[in-house]
Amino acid sequence: MGRLVWLLLFLCTATGVSSFSASTASSNVKVKENEGVDLTCSYSADFGSSPRVEWKFKDKKGSQTYVVFDGKPTSSYSTRVSMYSGSNLRFSKVTRQDNGEYTCEVSSSSSQFAQVTVVLTVLVAPSIPKCGIPQTVTTNGAATLTCYDPDSSPPPTYKWYKDDTLLPADPNKISGFKNATYKLDSTTGMLVFPSATKMDTGMYYCEVINEAGPAQRCRAEKMEVRDINAGGIAAGVIIALLLVALVIGAVWYAKKKGYLPKKSQR
């Protein structure tokens, strides 16, 4: 028996295997905004009865900060965060700014270390999105329609409608849209027409959807695709040339009649 224990210890040392570990009851936690939530962290018995436990938070931008340091909530979290059962984290209320990764780090006096990460998603229902829809577009010109909801959590799925008809994200797969030339990104909300035609004229609006609440949409706006007014452009050029000729003629006449001062008089 003694030889077996010695052999197991030898194998653990040789292979770098350690029994020191940390775990959580749920690695992905979702909760509605302004509600409370628990993030759990447990560790193996070989850490002893009172290891050092710290919690760190990393937001969506990658910025990291301490939530619990040396077993106590930091000042920015002290009013709504507490520890229970030695290593678990409890929020009395969460906001959308709490979205991100929470890492529980456990260490012993003998420098043994283990960690586990919990992803927290704060559920925020969609709000009315901000839409950018051009009123007029030149035939064969490019047009970009934008849709954005800064509040939804998790990030919403964007849908576009033309004349109350849903535009499929991949028109090539739908028989009625095979001739469509638009490109739709359901994750960014952008609807792009690389070369707009008169068939693209219509009433457009965007809808945002996520799991936190009912869908929201912006007000429908008309986008009209028009041909270039060649006659109007030609008339504008002619009028501009006539104005230039008129100015030149007026200056020549004024100079001839002596209305303009000579260089010496200037």
Side-chain angles (χ1 to χ4, degrees):
M1 183 66 179
R3 291 183 178 180
L4 179 59
V5 173
W6 180 86
L7 179 60
L8 289 174
L9 291 173
F10 174 77
L11 290 174
C12 288
T13 303
T15 58
V17 176
S18 174
S19 57
F20 290 88
S21 62
S23 61
T24 181
S26 179
S27 59
N28 286 281
V29 177
K30 296 181 180 181
V31 62
K32 291 183 178 180
E33 190 174 32
N34 296 321
E35 291 187 357
V37 68
D38 291 348
L39 307 183
T40 62
C41 174
S42 57
Y43 48 87
S44 54
D46 39 18
F47 274 107
S49 59
S50 56
R52 183 186 181 97
V53 177
E54 295 174 343
W55 280 88
K56 291 180 180 179
F57 167 61
K58 184 169 70 173
D59 62 21
K60 300 296 184 179
K61 297 180 180 179
S63 178
Q64 194 171 57
T65 185
Y66 277 102
V67 179
V68 172
F69 182 76
D70 197 17
K72 297 179 181 179
T74 56
S75 58
S76 56
Y77 288 91
S78 59
T79 59
R80 58 192 184 95
V81 167
S82 59
M83 296 281 288
Y84 72 97
S85 299
S87 57
N88 300 314
L89 194 65
R90 173 167 290 166
F91 280 88
S92 60
K93 184 175 71 173
V94 295
T95 68
R96 63 196 68 186
Q97 284 73 33
D98 295 321
N99 272 308
E101 297 180 356
Y102 292 81
T103 300
C104 172
E105 298 179 347
V106 185
S107 58
S108 68
S109 57
S110 58
S111 300
Q112 299 293 340
F113 177 84
Q115 67 179 29
V116 64
T117 297
V118 180
V119 178
L120 176 63
T121 302
V122 180
L123 301 176
V124 181
S127 59
I128 297 176
K130 300 176 182 178
C131 297
I133 303 171
Q135 294 182 346
T136 58
V137 180
T138 303
T139 302
N140 297 324
T144 300
L145 285 69
T146 60
C147 181
Y148 178 59
D149 175 14
D151 298 320
S152 294
S153 177
T157 298
Y158 294 90
K159 296 183 178 181
W160 276 97
Y161 291 79
K162 176 194 173 189
D163 298 329
D164 291 325
T165 299
L166 176 64
L167 299 178
D170 190 351
N172 294 324
K173 294 182 179 180
I174 309 298
S175 58
F177 292 86
K178 287 187 176 180
N179 294 327
T181 59
Y182 68 82
K183 297 179 180 179
L184 195 161
D185 191 330
S186 59
T187 59
T188 64
M190 293 186 65
L191 175 62
V192 179
F193 294 88
S195 181
T197 67
K198 289 186 177 181
M199 293 295 292
D200 297 321
T201 294
M203 299 292 292
Y204 289 85
Y205 65 86
C206 169
E207 185 178 66
V208 291
I209 300 173
N210 76 357
E211 62 183 276
Q216 297 285 352
R217 61 179 59 174
C218 63
R219 186 179 64 180
E221 299 282 352
K222 185 176 182 179
M223 183 181 79
E224 184 176 2
V225 182
R226 300 177 180 176
D227 292 330
I228 296 177
N229 189 353
I233 294 176
V237 172
I238 292 173
I239 292 173
L241 292 175
L242 289 174
L243 289 173
V244 171
L246 182 62
V247 171
I248 293 174
V251 172
W252 175 82
Y253 181 80
K255 186 175 181 181
K256 182 178 180 181
K257 292 295 185 177
Y259 296 146
L260 294 179
K262 297 180 181 180
K263 291 184 179 180
S264 60
Q265 292 174 333
R266 292 176 189 166

